[in-house]
Amino acid sequence: MLRQREIDIGFVCGWYWMLGAELLNRVPLGYYGIHYSLLPKYRGFAPLVWALINGEKQVGLSLFRFSAGMDEGDIVRQMSLDVGDNDTIADVMQALEDMSQTAVREHWNLILNRTAVLTRQPAIGATYGAQRRPEHGLIDWRLSAQRIHNFVRAQAPPYPGAFTSADGKKIVILRTTVDSRTYYGTPGQIIERSDQGLLVTCGEASALLVERLRTEAGESTARDGLKGTAALGGH
């Protein structure tokens, strides 16, 4: 399709495949796009998901000109966003979508007029994210409560969600809170039930409050959705 048209400039959004050098060179003004990271960090797949899994306190976006390498092109604009401890992927995506519109609005005419200032990415400090699939959301209760909490919020809706099992059935965990107490127990063991949810022991003598989840019956509070369950994760 691109080869059959005379294109002056391309803007790429939500495209998951590399554009080869032959296609890039056919367009006089080049291809531009938004990547949801502060490049050169988190080049590649699922940058926001990986950033939240890793507990990053700040994320951002980069408006950049494409090159033959993966997310290696020159930067037009970067904007950063502070991330709260309980912000989910949906919260972060919405904020960055709004910021993306600002970045494009402020720089589009400069790009068209060839007057936009392009900054080369640093030669060091690059990191990369691998592609993620729904099955990669399996929770390992041997990790610390904080790491599992980050894992859950990074894959919350609109993504498929972090999941575990109970009584042989898949359970998607939607919302959690880290408990501040030191708790010893078998990872995945449910140790308290309350109106707020189910308290589950995790690795490193920590505990996580599971507040909301989704089962085959639909979304519910953790207490209502897992009555009679003693442990999560196949115990």
Side-chain angles (χ1 to χ4, degrees), residues 18-61:
M18 296 282 288
L19 296 178
E22 185 265 335
L23 282 177
L24 295 175
N25 293 335
R26 288 175 61 90
V27 179
L29 291 174
Y31 284 90
Y32 290 80
I34 296 282
H35 187 74
Y36 281 160
S37 82
L38 297 171
L39 293 171
K41 292 182 65 176
Y42 294 105
R43 290 172 175 168
F45 292 97
L48 285 181
V49 176
W50 283 117
L52 266 63
I53 286 176
N54 291 335
E56 298 282 6
K57 300 298 185 183
Q58 187 179 73
V59 296
L61 65 85

Side-chain angles (χ1 to χ4, degrees), residues 146-196:
Q146 183 63 61
R147 290 184 64 184
I148 296 173
H149 175 65
N150 293 340
F151 194 72
V152 168
R153 64 195 183 98
Q155 300 171 92
Y159 289 110
F163 65 92
T164 186
S165 61
D167 304 320
K169 297 180 180 179
K170 180 179 178 180
I171 308 295
V172 178
I173 307 298
L174 299 175
R175 191 170 70 225
T176 59
T177 300
V178 177
D179 192 277
S180 61
R181 295 171 288 181
T182 298
Y183 246 113
Y184 301 106
T186 301
Q189 179 183 355
I190 297 174
I191 48 178
E192 286 184 13
R193 296 175 183 270
S194 67
D195 292 339
Q196 287 71 44

Side-chain angles (χ1 to χ4, degrees), residues 188-224:
Q189 179 183 355
I190 297 174
I191 48 178
E192 286 184 13
R193 296 175 183 270
S194 67
D195 292 339
Q196 287 71 44
L198 304 178
L199 193 65
V200 183
T201 50
C202 307
E204 300 181 21
S206 61
L208 188 69
L209 181 67
V210 177
E211 298 172 343
R212 293 196 67 81
L213 50 77
R214 186 172 64 243
T215 65
E216 295 177 349
E219 182 176 340
S220 68
T221 64
R223 183 174 185 178
D224 291 339

Side-chain angles (χ1 to χ4, degrees), residues 125-165:
T127 59
Y128 296 84
Q131 189 174 15
R132 294 191 61 81
R133 301 185 185 279
E135 60 266 27
H136 297 155
L138 179 62
I139 295 171
D140 182 353
W141 294 102
R142 295 170 298 181
L143 300 176
S144 70
Q146 183 63 61
R147 290 184 64 184
I148 296 173
H149 175 65
N150 293 340
F151 194 72
V152 168
R153 64 195 183 98
Q155 300 171 92
Y159 289 110
F163 65 92
T164 186
S165 61

